[in-house]
Amino acid sequence: MNPEQRQTSWWVWVPTGVGVILAPLHALARFATPDGKEDLESGAVQWWAEPAARALRSLLDWSDADTVYRAYGKVWPVLLAVTALSALQVSRSRRAGRLERWGWRLTLPGLALMVLGLFGFFWIGLDVAYIAAGMPGYLLTVVGSVLLGVAFLRDGYRPWLVPALLLGWLPLDLALSAVLSAGAGTLPMMAAWALANSTARRGESRRSIPPGALPSSRQSA
């Protein structure tokens, strides 16, 4: 990949990178809210959350708990929107079969609904937005990701980590959400589409060299 292509593809990794930093911080902010305090009863949460909250106190006590939680939460719909754009670009680079087409038909609208639901919840303050749009979008995206993961494996997709992350997203989501927050559960899916987008761009780079563009051995001799 040449320098120009690196400059145009680095952004696909932004959601994953920012999400890795944001996930524990947002989780700590939630644990300070009335609804999130009961999560601290879990031993798996206590062992990291209590020392982390003391170390990051200045990032958590600059306002009341609910304000801090919603402020950090506003980043998630932005990261998810970038991920949705990355997935859309991947879909346009594929020659999809029937199963994969159904996967895209569920995944892309699902991601859009998740963005709308999280935007309404964190930016507008409409709690019902997460139930009305976010949850249905999540279910659509999970089912669509499974279909895409199966379709990619059948097609011999490389790198294999992409379909593996799509197929394993639901159990990884449940595990990460139990220890951190719901936003952390989206990280495997974000990483899958970032990796798929980067792979698609490298493929476009190879296909962009027309036959005969390189000098033959006879010409170079």
Side-chain angles (χ1 to χ4, degrees):
M1 184 180 294
N2 59 44
E4 181 180 354
Q5 289 167 326
R6 293 193 191 98
Q7 292 174 2
T8 58
S9 64
W10 66 268
W11 63 269
V12 302
W13 288 101
V14 169
T16 306
V18 174
V20 168
I21 299 173
L22 177 65
L25 188 60
H26 191 220
L28 292 172
R30 172 177 165 76
F31 297 154
T33 64
D35 292 336
K37 284 184 178 180
E38 60 184 30
D39 294 342
L40 287 172
E41 297 176 1
S42 169
V45 174
Q46 287 181 4
W47 77 269
W48 75 268
E50 292 180 352
R54 290 192 295 268
L56 300 174
R57 182 177 179 181
S58 61
L59 298 176
L60 300 170
D61 63 358
W62 50 268
S63 186
D64 63 274
D66 189 65
T67 298
V68 174
Y69 169 66
R70 289 184 179 269
Y72 288 131
K74 289 180 178 179
V75 182
W76 286 116
V78 178
L79 299 182
L80 202 58
V82 178
T83 298
L85 177 60
S86 183
L88 177 62
Q89 290 188 339
V90 174
S91 71
R92 291 178 173 177
S93 70
R94 299 279 299 170
R95 293 182 179 179
R98 183 176 181 181
L99 181 62
E100 185 175 338
R101 286 198 300 271
W102 274 106
W104 290 120
R105 289 168 184 169
L106 296 177
T107 297
L108 296 176
L111 287 171
L113 286 174
M114 287 178 67
V115 172
L116 289 175
L118 291 175
F119 181 83
F121 182 81
F122 286 114
W123 283 84
I124 304 177
L126 294 176
D127 293 354
V128 71
Y130 183 73
I131 299 174
M135 286 303 298
Y138 170 78
L139 295 175
L140 286 175
T141 307
V142 167
V143 175
S145 296
V146 171
L147 295 181
L148 289 173
V150 173
F152 286 176
L153 284 178
R154 287 173 53 181
D155 291 345
Y157 188 96
R158 291 293 182 273
W160 61 266
L161 186 57
V162 172
L165 286 172
L166 293 176
L167 290 171
W169 176 32
L170 181 57
L172 289 172
D173 184 359
L174 296 176
L176 289 171
S177 298
V179 179
L180 293 170
S181 64
T186 63
L187 292 176
M189 182 263 292
M190 290 180 177
W193 291 125
L195 181 56
N197 194 303
S198 298
T199 302
R201 286 175 179 272
R202 288 196 295 270
E204 290 171 1
S205 172
R206 288 191 293 268
R207 290 193 298 270
S208 65
I209 302 176
L214 297 179
S216 65
S217 58
R218 180 178 298 179
Q219 290 173 330
S220 59

